[in-house]
Amino acid sequence: MRAAIRDRRSGLRRNDLEHCDLDTWIGRVEGVESVVLPEAVAHLHSRNNQLAWLGLQQDGMLDSIAALKEQVGPDRIGIVMGTSTSSIGRTEEAYRELLPSDEMPPEYRQPLVHNLHSPGIFVQEVTGIRGPSLTISTACSSSAKVFASAARWINHGLVDAVLVGGVDSLCLSILYGFNSLELVSADVCRPFDRRRNGINIGESCGYAILLREDLADAADLFLLGYGESADAYHMSHPHPEGKGALLAMTQALQRADLDAKDVDYINLHGTASQANDRIEAHALGQLFMAGTLASSTKGWTGHTLGAAGILEAIITLEAMRHDEVPGTLNCEEPEEDFAFGVTRENVHKPVRYAMTNSFGFGGNNATLAFGAAHD
Amino acid sequence: MTDVDIAGIGIWSERFANWDEFRDALAGATPEAAGALKPELIPARERRRAPAAVKMAVEVMDQACRMAGIDATDVATVFGSGMGDMQITDYICRTLADAPRMVSPTKFHNSVHNASTGYWSIATGSHLPANAISAHSNTVAASLLEGAVQAVEEQVPVLVALEELAAPQPFRSVIETEEPLATALLLTPKGHAAAPLAALSLGVRAEAADTPAAMEIAGTGFSDNFVAPLLPLLAALAHGEASTTALPLSSGSTLDLSLEFATAAKAAQA
C-alpha cells in the first residue's frame, strides 16, 4: 500500500465483478475468491470472511495478536469490527439458487454467516480472543466508530486491549444500490476535481490493536480523540452546511485537546460525489487554515464503505510513521470555488497530529484524531 | 461493574403495543390484534417511505423518552439488531437475482443498519452520536453493555433500541424468528434522572453462558427472537422486583445484569 501511494499507482480497475454489468471502476482485491479459510472456520465461508482472513495475515497481525494474548490474556481483549454489508454477498448467492420451496440450498445454510455480525464472529473464532465482541454497522462510518467504542471500553476498564477492524467486500447490493441513486461513476473517481461525477466502489480490510496506554511501552502512535455525530438531515444526502461533519471534527479536536492549527494532515472522506466533496470542503474551510495538508485517498482505493474508516486511519497512521503524506490521486482540475483546497501531490513532511473523516448514510459521521510520539 | 439507571422504557410487538399493554399481557390479559404501526414522531410523508423495521424502532425509542420525560435531542442512541432488516435484505437479494437494475433507491438507502437511528435523528433533530450494532444472538447483551459504557464514559443518556423482525422464508433456513419484537431502554448516568425506574448494574464474567429460555407472554415465547431473552428482565422491571439475568456476551464471556429498585420507587408502576 505504501509503495502504491508513493508511486501514485491506483488499485482501481474497470468493473469485472462477476454478475455485474455496470459501466464503472472498482477497487477489487486480487485473489480474494481463492483465499482458503482455516478448517476450523470453514463453516464461515463468504467473500467477506475470505477478505477478513486475508487481512489478518498482513503485516504480522496474527503474531501481534498472539503476543497480545500472552501479554493480557484472551479474556481481557475485546473485538469491535465495522462493516456496512457484512457477508450479504453470500446471501445474494443463496438467493440466486433458491430452491422451489423458497429455501436456501443446503450448502448456504450458514446461520453465523447471513447476519451483520459475521465479521465479528469470524475474527473471534479464528483468533481465539474471548472478551466482548460486537460489529458496528453505520454505513460508511462503521470502522471509524470502532475506534471510539474501543477507546471507551479501555477507558472504562472493561478490557485492556481491543482488536478493531473493518471489512467490506464487493457485492451486487452495493454496486446496484449506489447505481440506483446515480452515485456511481463510469469514470475513475476524481475527488475534489470539478469533473467528478460519482464514486467507485472498492473492497478492503484493515485491523489495529488499541492497548491501554500504560501497557503499551513501545507504542509510537496514539488515538488522541474521536468525534461522533448525526446530521439529522437526510438518509442519503449530507447536511447542506456540513453541520454533522463539523461537529464530528470539532469534537475530535476537543477530545484530543488540539487546536485546528495543530493538525498537520487530514485524510478526507472525499468520495468524489458532487455533494460530499462540496460540503466537506465547506466544513473544512470553517475550521482549518488554507494550506493545511488534506487529501482524499479514494483515487487509490475507491470507496470501501464500512471498511473505509479503518483503511483511511491506517493510511493516516502510515503517513505519520513515514513522513509521507498522500495527495489526492485523480484530482487534476481542482474545484476553484471550494471553501478549502485539497492537497493534490504527495508531500514529504513530518506529521505529528492527524485526523481522518468518515461520513455515512443516515447522516452518520465520525472523525478520528491521532498523534505520533516525539522521536 | 457498570452502574446506570433505567429512566424510560418502550416496547412493541404485534401482541402488545406499549408498556401498559405489556404489563396487562403479563397479568394475563388476552391481547387484541395490534393495529398498523404509526409512530407519531415520523412525519406522515416520511412514514410512508420508512420500512417496518424503522417504524418499530422509532416507536419504542419515542415511548422510552416520553416515559422518562427526557428530550430526544439530549440522548445518544445505540440501535442493536442481530439480523437487521431482513425484509429489505430479502427484497434486495430477490431483485438482484431477477433484475438487478431495478433495485429501488429508497429501499437501498433504507437498507443501512443505521436506518432507524438515521430516521430518529432526522425526526428529532438530534445531532448526538448514533450507533448501530449487531452481535448476532448476543445482540441484547452487547447493545446494553455498549450503551451503558457510553452513558458512563461520556456522561450522556443513551437510548438503547433492540429489535428483531420475523424472518422471510429464505432466511428461515438460518433463523426461525416468527414474530417481531422491539424494546428500548433509556440508560442514564447516575444522578442524571431525578426519578429513574430502576438501577441497572452490568458486569462481565469471563466464562461462556447459554442463552436463557424466553418466558411465554401473551401466548408466545417469541421463538428464536434474539430480543426475547430480555423479557424476564422486562417483566421484573414491570413488577418492580429486583432480579438478576445472565446473558451470553461472546463465546468466552457473560453479561450479568442486576436490576434494583430504590425502596420508595416502584417507579415502573407509574
Side-chain angles (χ1 to χ4, degrees), chain A residues 92-275:
Chain A
E92 293 169 7
E93 287 176 50
Y95 269 71
R96 278 199 295 275
E97 297 177 33
L98 283 184
L99 303 176
S101 58
D102 224 18
E103 292 173 299
M104 294 185 188
E107 66 269 33
Y108 290 102
R109 294 177 192 171
Q110 304 163 279
L112 300 181
V113 167
H114 300 286
N115 71 82
L116 285 151
H117 190 37
S118 174
I121 291 169
F122 174 78
V123 170
Q124 184 180 293
E125 286 200 19
V126 85
T127 62
I129 290 172
R130 293 169 52 84
S133 154
L134 59 80
T135 300
I136 291 177
S137 185
T138 53
C140 304
S141 60
S142 303
S143 65
K145 286 171 81 79
V146 301
F147 287 87
S149 286
R152 283 190 287 264
W153 288 15
I154 292 172
N155 290 338
H156 194 65
L158 192 63
V159 288
D160 296 321
V162 180
L163 174 63
V164 296
V167 56
D168 253 330
S169 49
L170 289 167
C171 59
L172 302 185
S173 305
I174 285 296
L175 278 153
Y176 285 103
F178 275 103
N179 182 64
S180 76
L181 288 164
E182 299 176 357
L183 285 172
V184 173
S185 176
D187 187 10
V188 292
C189 70
R190 299 182 179 281
F192 299 94
D193 188 295
R194 63 181 180 80
R195 298 165 299 166
R196 75 189 183 285
N197 63 359
I199 70 174
N200 297 154
I201 310 284
E203 61 186 349
S204 71
C205 174
Y207 299 94
I209 291 171
L210 296 187
L211 187 58
R212 216 174 76 201
E213 198 168 356
D214 59 314
L215 296 173
D217 296 334
D220 57 347
L221 297 165
F222 300 88
L223 174 66
L224 299 181
Y226 54 84
E228 300 171 281
S229 73
D231 270 0
Y233 177 71
H234 190 271
M235 282 301 291
S236 56
H237 193 284
H239 188 285
E241 303 294 321
K243 185 162 183 187
L246 205 51
L247 274 170
M249 288 191 278
T250 309
Q251 283 174 21
L253 287 169
Q254 281 170 352
R255 277 209 179 80
D257 200 17
L258 292 174
D259 288 328
K261 63 175 166 39
D262 298 329
V263 176
D264 300 306
Y265 170 61
I266 312 155
N267 186 294
L268 305 174
H269 190 52
T271 58
S273 79
Q274 279 292 334

Side-chain angles (χ1 to χ4, degrees), chain A residues 21 95 102 104 114 116-117 124 130-131 135 137 145 149 152-153 156 180 226 228 230-232 236 255 361 364, chain B residues 2 83 90 94 101 103 105 108-109 113-114 121 127 129-130 132-136 146 153-154 170 173 250-251:
Chain A
D21 63 358
Y95 269 71
D102 224 18
M104 294 185 188
H114 300 286
L116 285 151
H117 190 37
Q124 184 180 293
R130 293 169 52 84
T135 300
S137 185
K145 286 171 81 79
S149 286
R152 283 190 287 264
W153 288 15
H156 194 65
S180 76
Y226 54 84
E228 300 171 281
D231 270 0
S236 56
R255 277 209 179 80
F361 273 11
N364 201 296
Chain B
T2 305
M83 298 301 295
D90 180 69
R94 279 187 200 279
R101 284 178 188 267
V103 170
F108 174 65
H109 80 212
H113 193 49
N114 58 312
S121 65
H127 294 286
I133 69 177
S134 169
H136 193 241
E146 177 69 18
E153 288 301 309
E154 317 279 8
S173 304
S250 70
S251 60

